[in-house]
Amino acid sequence: MRNQASDRLRMDDRETCSIHDALGRPLKDLRISVTDRCNFRCLYCMPKQVFGKDFRFIPHQDMLSFEEITRLAGCFVELGITKIRLTGGEPLLRRHIERLITYLAALRTPDGKPLDLTLTTNGSVLAQKAQSLFDAGLKRITVSLDAIDNDSFMKMNDVGFHIDGILHAIEQAVQVGFSPVKVNAVIRKGFNEDQILPLVRHFRHTPVILRFIEYMDVGSNIDWNREQIVPASKIVETINRYFPIEPLEANYLGETAERWRFKDGGGELGVISSITQPFCTDCTRIRLSTEGRIYPCLFSSEGFDLRTLLRSGQSDQQVTEAIAAYWRNRSNRYSELRKETGQQLTEKKIEMHYIGG
Ligand code: SAM
Ligand code: SF4
Ligand code: SF4
């Protein structure tokens, strides 16, 4: 059962945006991958046997510079983008990321509002960087954490990173003033479904919003199969049995998480049911890769190269028009089609570490 945004919310959202895709969906969110590198080797994203020492990451000269990213972000804002999420790879590994945050935090929507700027991180270097990120203008943050038990966590990150470093980073983020701090946990049957309740216990009655994500068939390098999905409905049922919860309204059109709250006032949590209850109908997201290609869907195989446009002297207006034309043509709805046909549809999909979550 997915919460529906109110009709008024939908109407407002559709009216304030200037462009829509072929299925009538507005362009609202931009996800920017700032690096394809990562210091973790999560089994469901960058398995070691593929991403070993011989793997060729994007060379530095092929990455967009912070100035190029900011210029493109400005074009997207012209087209109606109000929210930007920085991701990767591990975004905090990109050197001087604070400088990019300063640039993006200074952007304004056509009606003069700051953007809703956020970042998703594995938390490994967040404790050291929380204050400088906040001072640069980042006010919201999401940390990925799939277990509370250290042995499980070390198996999931597969590089022996200890849980204490991440828990300390989350506390640090709260203390520095990030609000909200969210924690994302991907649940995979046979790996960490026993961590659902320990995660809930740990984050209930704290300012942190915990969100559970269904294991997805991203990229072409992971060993995904349907049997390993723990459906969002099952996660909700498991939690509700021990900690009664009730549904909350969606905050805005295109919100990925179905929101719930503890009946005893223990706070809010979310579930993201990309597989069992896809939300393509309200998908307002576009993704920009580290080397400047845009992708209309997390499961696309083809992107559109904006870096060449930027580096060949095109004006902002020409770049903006190219993005608009690309979005107007968009008709992707991979997860709905996967559900309707019961099959994975694309032969070669972009990788999660390349495009971000
Ligand atoms: N490295 C950062 C991190 O882990 O938060 C940002 C990039 S990571 C690709 C973004 C999100 O994608 C993380 O929350 C991660 O758990 C999620 N993710 C990666 N592979 C996934 C999969 N196969 N299914 C569901 N979520 C996945
Ligand atoms: Fe790295 Fe994030 Fe992928 Fe894990 S999910 S390997 S932390 S990019
Ligand atoms: Fe959006 Fe593609 Fe995910 Fe559907 S499958 S919600 S279109 S990113």
Side-chain angles (χ1 to χ4, degrees), residues 309-357:
L309 292 188
L310 286 183
R311 294 185 184 175
S312 63
Q314 303 267 317
S315 67
D316 284 1
Q317 193 185 336
Q318 286 169 314
V319 174
T320 307
E321 276 165 15
I323 299 169
Y326 187 71
W327 184 262
R328 288 198 182 99
N329 231 344
R330 173 190 192 244
S331 59
N332 305 66
R333 50 185 207 96
Y334 176 88
S335 291
E336 286 181 351
L337 293 174
R338 184 210 300 104
K339 186 167 184 195
E340 283 164 27
T341 62
Q343 282 166 14
Q344 296 184 67
L345 304 167
T346 316
E347 293 276 300
K348 177 93 185 138
K349 292 172 279 186
I350 37 161
E351 296 301 319
M352 194 72 154
H353 75 104
Y354 170 79
I355 201 68

Side-chain angles (χ1 to χ4, degrees), residues 36-77:
D36 61 338
R37 288 157 210 259
C38 187
N39 52 346
F40 283 11
R41 286 293 176 272
C42 304
L43 305 172
Y44 55 61
C45 178
M46 295 180 81
K48 262 183 191 162
Q49 65 274 22
V50 180
F51 298 92
K53 61 177 177 0
D54 295 332
F55 187 83
R56 241 190 116 253
F57 290 97
I58 300 171
H60 194 75
Q61 69 274 13
D62 290 347
M63 294 179 171
L64 292 184
S65 67
F66 290 161
E67 287 72 15
E68 287 173 323
I69 293 176
T70 308
R71 189 178 156 205
L72 282 181
C75 297
F76 281 105
V77 168

Side-chain angles (χ1 to χ4, degrees), residues 94 199 279:
R94 177 90 186 243
L199 279 160
F279 33 83

Side-chain angles (χ1 to χ4, degrees), residues 9-253:
L9 193 62
R10 281 163 190 272
M11 193 66 81
D12 287 350
D13 269 335
R14 290 191 198 274
E15 278 168 4
T16 52
C17 176
S18 47
I19 58 164
H20 295 82
D21 73 5
L23 300 180
R25 298 169 294 188
L27 175 58
K28 304 289 286 181
D29 309 67
L30 171 63
R31 299 203 171 181
I32 304 175
S33 174
V34 294
T35 178
D36 61 338
R37 288 157 210 259
C38 187
N39 52 346
F40 283 11
R41 286 293 176 272
C42 304
L43 305 172
Y44 55 61
C45 178
M46 295 180 81
K48 262 183 191 162
Q49 65 274 22
V50 180
F51 298 92
K53 61 177 177 0
D54 295 332
F55 187 83
R56 241 190 116 253
F57 290 97
I58 300 171
H60 194 75
Q61 69 274 13
D62 290 347
M63 294 179 171
L64 292 184
S65 67
F66 290 161
E67 287 72 15
E68 287 173 323
I69 293 176
T70 308
R71 189 178 156 205
L72 282 181
C75 297
F76 281 105
V77 168
E78 280 295 305
L79 292 170
I81 286 283
T82 54
K83 179 171 177 183
I84 293 185
R85 177 177 298 277
L86 298 178
T87 177
E90 175 44 45
L92 299 188
L93 295 187
R94 177 90 186 243
R95 288 179 64 202
H96 310 302
I97 183 81
E98 293 86 348
R99 189 159 60 84
L100 176 63
I101 289 170
T102 311
Y103 294 164
L104 297 177
L107 292 176
R108 292 292 174 270
T109 62
D111 54 353
K113 295 192 185 126
L115 299 178
D116 178 3
L117 182 61
T118 185
L119 177 148
T120 304
T121 173
N122 63 22
S124 57
V125 296
L126 177 61
Q128 301 97 284
K129 282 186 163 272
Q131 189 68 57
S132 59
L133 292 167
F134 190 81
D135 294 345
L138 189 70
K139 302 296 172 221
R140 311 203 301 113
I141 200 154
T142 301
V143 180
S144 304
L145 178 67
D146 306 322
I148 282 289
D149 169 68
N150 187 49
D151 287 344
S152 298
F153 180 64
M154 294 222 273
K155 270 188 209 126
M156 300 291 287
N157 67 56
D158 210 19
V159 292
F161 200 94
H162 199 284
I163 187 79
D164 287 353
I166 312 295
L167 295 179
H168 173 59
I170 293 168
E171 280 166 23
Q172 198 66 19
V174 171
Q175 257 178 32
V176 158
F178 282 99
S179 180
V181 174
K182 294 184 182 170
V183 164
N184 279 357
V186 176
I187 302 298
R188 190 177 174 192
K189 197 182 284 176
F191 288 79
N192 67 336
E193 78 267 42
D194 63 338
Q195 293 297 299
I196 297 172
L197 290 173
L199 279 160
V200 169
R201 252 181 228 113
H202 187 91
F203 290 111
R204 251 165 63 77
H205 293 291
T206 74
V208 173
I209 300 176
L210 178 61
R211 306 187 319 163
F212 292 100
I213 303 177
E214 290 177 345
Y215 176 41
M216 293 188 286
D217 53 331
V218 292
S220 310
N221 291 314
I222 61 167
D223 170 29
W224 184 87
N225 75 63
R226 218 164 263 284
E227 308 308 307
Q228 293 183 348
I229 301 165
V230 181
S233 57
K234 181 86 194 302
I235 296 174
V236 165
E237 199 185 300
T238 305
I239 299 168
N240 191 44
R241 211 175 304 136
Y242 292 87
F243 305 105
I245 49 178
E246 60 194 5
L248 283 170
E249 280 276 290
N251 280 319
Y252 54 87
L253 175 81

